[in-house]
Amino acid sequence: MKIRELRDFGFFAIKEALLILPIVLSVAVPKTFLGTWGLLYAFTAPSAVVLAFSRRTWSSFTYPKAHFLSAMAVLGGIILFRSQTSFFASWAVLLYAILLAVHPFFKGMVTAVGNSERSTGAWIRLSALFVGLVIWNLTRFSPYEVKLWILTVPPLVLSLSIIFAGRNWIFLSGKASFGREFGSMGNPMPASSLLVMALPVVSELTFLGVSTGRYWYLLVLPLYAYGFFASAGRGAVFGVLLSVPFIAYLGFQYSPWWLLIGILFFVVAALAARKYLKELWQRVVWTFKRGLTKEPRFFLWRDTLYFCVKEPLGSGYDNFRRSFMPYRSKESYLAEPTVHYDKVHNVFLEEWAEGTVVAFVLLIVILVELFLKGTLTLKGAIFAVIGDGFFGIYNPANWLYLWMLGSLAPLSSVFSVYWLYPCWALVVFAFVLTSLNHMPQVTAGNAHSSRLAGQRDIAAQLFNAAYTVFPWCVDYLSEWALLQMALLNEAKLNDDMAVGYHNTFKGLQPYLDRFASNIDDIYSSWLMFCGKYASLRKEGEAIYGRLQQVNPYSFRVRKACAHYLGNVGDWDLAMSFLEENINEYPFDADSYYMLVLACYEQHLWSTGRKYLQLWRDRFPNDSRLTELERALGI
């Protein structure tokens, strides 16, 4: 295993110095130059955040993405407070900021910063909103063209990162080359969402440049188009379709001829990527052809609506997977049995499910307000958000860009900056938390390396150390609990030691119940552990009942329940779980293995041979077949 503390601590020190330096400069720069410093901030801060969140090769264990965003928010607050005594916004925006600020106090500190991998907690979203508010106000009296450039630079930076992420960047190749190279969530969805939002902005900037004789503005188009076509997903198709009428009318206002040239450019670009776009369009059509009875995404949205009705106060930001698990339907599990939904794949439903119904309403009100008061470009961008958000997942960089678009709307409500002090204080606190989280993240990174190297005992110790140092990130605890329980299931303990370990997990149960995203896997291992020891089988009844509430349809849960029931002698129910698995999840070879063993344990010879034959037919290369036949004397 490669220990990375020293190398990463040096990187951490350099990063901290680079982040703290502009903060110190913002305090020290004379007021005469504060306006210029603020404009420089508006141009550079969003691009730094977009780069931090777009490059998957910068692991969250060595490069805390949220730390960059919170640093930019701290920096923006200093510039805003030094330059202005009031700020322009709207009541809906201010109320939404207050909701993000107070939500973790009701839903737990884990939801403030969020999962260390995704970092979409409430205070991280608040940081994105805060940066957007700062840019609104710092650029309020700037020329319109300057605002367009401020909004164009982040998508161009993102496109460049996409170009240099690919091995063969000369040819358009779509997700085949780029699908796993960027995007903080392992796919190009967040990159695609940001680029779709920027489409009306880039279009107007190009129209503006050409109409004033600055033809070099056309260089923006190929850069933008490459990033867009390389990352576009299903949501992008809807975003483009909804925003194109506004772009067309905007182009017509500048010049019908330049509109025609713009259309021809995008037709040529689309023809160059026609194979990929055809596949993308077929995927969209196939989604709706499958309909409400077969499409997994529709199952997810339906189940999420049911969850929202039952839990109107939401799950807490970045805590959807754990809270949603008991509400996921059997049809959804059968459609995608190996998928755990961390997000809703719908920005608006996600806001309701993770925030509250109030958060959902405020977001809609803000979008409507921006649409009504904004320019034609902003109206097109809002419709792009609506189309793309229907399928999308937003990371904090997407939220930041959405709020930045508000600079194109002349919001007229004036508030004292004192309203922002409490929010900024929480942003500063988030900056401190994400800074302190660096070494635990390095420790967790070493734990992942240990696990991949097969050193699971060391990995469990490292995850435990990471959680002990930084308890806000429950994913460290979840990883430790799952690894530790797997190790305990493999070990041979006496009853006293088993009871001791069981009591340790019992003490952590309330916290795991509330926040652990992989609670079903942890409980499954725990139930199997209880089934091994006579002194814990009574305790296993409560865990068995809890599993039936949390995730009754998972094939892993059913196998764990069958294992436990076999140990307590309830073979009929155990076999029924395994039979359900092989009927509903035909890829599950383990259930065949356990079912054959259960049949022979009960002397059901003919039934056992039947399932053995089915197992052999479906998995002829499974090495356990010959081993089991030899062990059972078949």
Side-chain angles (χ1 to χ4, degrees):
M1 181 186 70
K2 189 175 181 180
I3 300 296
R4 307 182 305 181
E5 277 87 345
L6 293 177
R7 186 193 70 186
D8 287 345
F9 185 77
F11 183 82
F12 166 73
I14 294 171
K15 174 179 62 66
E16 285 297 298
L18 290 174
L19 288 177
I20 292 173
L21 180 62
I23 294 175
V24 173
L25 288 175
S26 298
V27 176
V29 69
K31 281 202 171 184
T32 312
F33 303 104
L34 207 55
T36 305
W37 184 244
L39 198 60
L40 182 64
Y41 167 84
F43 268 103
T44 57
S47 295
V49 174
V50 166
L51 273 178
F53 277 92
S54 66
R55 290 299 297 274
R56 186 168 177 81
T57 50
W58 292 341
S59 166
S60 62
F61 294 113
T62 57
Y63 195 89
K65 301 176 177 73
H67 190 46
F68 243 79
L69 175 57
S70 57
M72 294 302 106
V74 171
L75 172 60
I78 293 171
I79 299 172
L80 182 66
F81 297 148
R82 285 195 64 200
S83 59
Q84 298 178 198
T85 57
S86 60
F87 69 97
F88 292 90
S90 70
W91 277 106
V93 172
L94 192 60
L95 289 173
Y96 186 71
I98 293 171
L99 185 145
L100 290 175
V102 302
H103 200 262
F105 294 112
F106 297 97
K107 289 295 180 179
M109 278 296 296
V110 169
T111 67
V113 177
N115 182 294
S116 65
E117 176 68 21
R118 301 200 176 192
S119 302
T120 52
W123 291 352
I124 305 304
R125 295 186 186 219
L126 177 64
S127 299
L129 175 56
F130 198 92
V131 174
L133 269 173
V134 169
I135 291 174
W136 288 3
N137 286 272
L138 292 179
T139 63
R140 181 173 178 81
F141 300 108
S142 298
Y144 184 71
E145 188 172 352
V146 171
K147 293 181 180 180
L148 289 178
W149 269 113
I150 289 172
L151 290 169
T152 300
V153 169
L156 291 185
V157 168
L158 179 58
S159 288
L160 283 171
S161 75
I162 292 171
I163 288 172
F164 292 117
R167 297 173 185 172
N168 186 358
W169 54 272
I170 297 175
F171 302 103
L172 287 166
S173 53
K175 290 183 183 178
S177 288
F178 300 113
R180 297 292 168 182
E181 294 294 331
F182 59 92
S184 66
M185 299 176 190
N187 57 46
M189 197 179 295
S192 170
S193 297
L194 193 146
L195 290 166
V196 170
M197 283 190 270
L199 178 60
V201 175
V202 173
S203 300
E204 183 173 14
L205 185 66
T206 308
F207 291 142
L208 180 63
V210 171
S211 65
T212 54
R214 287 169 288 181
Y215 298 105
W216 64 272
Y217 277 32
L218 288 170
L219 293 174
V220 169
L221 284 178
L223 275 178
Y224 171 83
Y226 188 91
F228 175 79
F229 285 117
S231 64
R234 281 181 291 185
V237 174
F238 287 96
V240 169
L241 289 176
L242 291 181
S243 62
V244 157
F246 294 93
I247 296 171
Y249 183 63
L250 185 68
F252 183 78
Q253 286 184 331
Y254 277 95
S255 169
W257 290 109
W258 291 120
L259 170 62
L260 181 61
I261 292 172
I263 292 173
L264 287 174
F265 170 81
F266 272 97
V267 168
V268 170
L271 286 173
R274 60 186 179 277
K275 183 178 179 181
Y276 169 61
L277 291 176
K278 182 181 178 181
E279 292 174 359
L280 182 63
W281 178 251
Q282 287 174 345
R283 189 181 176 200
V284 172
V285 172
W286 176 244
T287 297
F288 287 93
K289 275 187 176 180
R290 293 177 73 182
L292 296 175
T293 58
K294 293 182 180 179
E295 173 56 36
R297 196 63 56 85
F298 291 152
F299 291 145
L300 171 62
W301 295 338
R302 182 197 64 189
D303 296 343
T304 302
L305 281 171
Y306 179 69
F307 169 79
C308 291
V309 171
K310 291 292 184 179
E311 302 285 346
L313 297 181
S315 65
Y317 288 99
D318 213 13
N319 195 38
F320 175 73
R321 174 178 169 177
R322 164 63 196 93
S323 300
F324 174 66
M325 207 176 289
Y327 296 90
R328 190 176 173 188
S329 65
K330 186 175 182 178
E331 295 93 335
S332 178
Y333 276 108
L334 292 176
E336 290 188 312
T338 60
V339 175
H340 289 289
Y341 290 118
D342 295 326
K343 294 292 180 182
V344 186
H345 290 264
N346 183 302
V347 171
F348 309 103
L349 267 181
E350 178 186 318
E351 199 62 27
W352 189 351
E354 292 194 346
T356 63
V357 63
V358 177
F360 170 75
V361 171
L362 285 174
L363 178 62
I364 298 300
V365 170
I366 292 169
L367 291 178
V368 170
E369 188 175 27
L370 293 178
F371 178 82
L372 294 176
K373 294 183 178 181
T375 62
L376 192 61
T377 296
L378 181 56
K379 295 181 194 300
I382 294 299
F383 265 76
V385 168
I386 293 170
D388 176 72
F390 193 74
F391 282 96
I393 298 174
Y394 280 8
N395 68 19
N398 300 124
W399 287 109
L400 168 58
Y401 193 79
L402 172 59
W403 302 128
M404 283 176 60
L405 288 169
S407 60
L408 300 180
L411 299 177
S412 55
S413 299
V414 183
F415 301 92
S416 169
V417 291
Y418 293 112
W419 280 94
L420 288 180
Y421 280 133
C423 295
W424 188 68
L426 293 176
V427 166
V428 173
F429 188 43
F431 174 68
V432 173
L433 284 180
T434 51
S435 179
L436 293 175
N437 192 24
H438 177 79
M439 291 315 295
Q441 283 184 322
V442 171
T443 305
N446 288 324
H448 276 283
S449 299
S450 300
R451 185 171 60 183
L452 291 173
Q455 300 169 323
R456 293 187 298 165
D457 52 341
I458 297 176
Q461 294 173 31
L462 289 170
F463 276 125
N464 187 29
Y467 166 71
T468 303
V469 174
F470 198 79
W472 308 126
C473 282
V474 74
D475 47 324
Y476 302 151
L477 174 62
S478 300
E479 295 281 4
W480 168 79
L482 192 58
L483 268 176
Q484 186 64 43
M485 192 52 75
L487 291 169
L488 291 174
N489 274 322
E490 293 173 6
K492 293 181 180 180
L493 308 173
N494 60 45
D495 275 9
D496 290 338
M497 292 180 66
V499 169
Y501 281 113
H502 171 78
N503 289 335
T504 299
F505 275 83
K506 204 169 182 180
L508 294 171
Q509 189 174 2
Y511 199 58
L512 291 168
D513 266 346
R514 188 174 181 187
F515 296 115
S517 59
N518 55 349
I519 186 65
D520 53 341
D521 293 331
I522 294 171
Y523 269 42
S524 295
S525 293
W526 194 359
L527 182 62
M528 293 169 71
F529 179 71
C530 289
K532 284 176 60 179
Y533 301 95
S535 57
L536 292 178
R537 285 171 187 163
K538 189 69 175 175
E539 296 280 348
E541 292 178 5
I543 300 171
Y544 172 82
R546 188 76 182 110
L547 264 177
Q548 295 304 308
Q549 295 174 350
V550 170
N551 192 353
Y553 305 119
S554 167
F555 65 95
R556 296 187 186 92
V557 169
R558 286 175 177 168
K559 284 188 290 190
C561 290
H563 182 278
Y564 170 76
L565 291 167
N567 278 313
V568 299
D570 193 346
W571 290 105
D572 290 339
L573 188 54
M575 289 183 64
S576 69
F577 276 125
L578 296 172
E579 285 168 346
E580 285 180 358
N581 262 8
I582 65 172
N583 289 329
E584 295 173 357
Y585 306 113
F587 58 84
D588 182 22
D590 291 339
S591 289
Y592 281 98
Y593 177 75
M594 294 174 66
L595 195 54
V596 172
L597 284 176
C599 289
Y600 277 83
E601 187 71 27
Q602 298 179 86
H603 308 295
L604 302 174
W605 316 116
S606 59
T607 307
R609 288 190 180 89
K610 181 186 74 172
Y611 286 125
L612 186 64
Q613 186 59 46
L614 285 172
W615 182 17
R616 183 181 289 107
D617 292 342
R618 288 188 179 178
F619 305 96
N621 298 321
D622 196 326
S623 60
R624 292 174 297 180
L625 276 165
T626 54
E627 294 175 6
L628 189 62
E629 288 175 338
R630 192 182 303 115
L632 297 177
I634 301 174

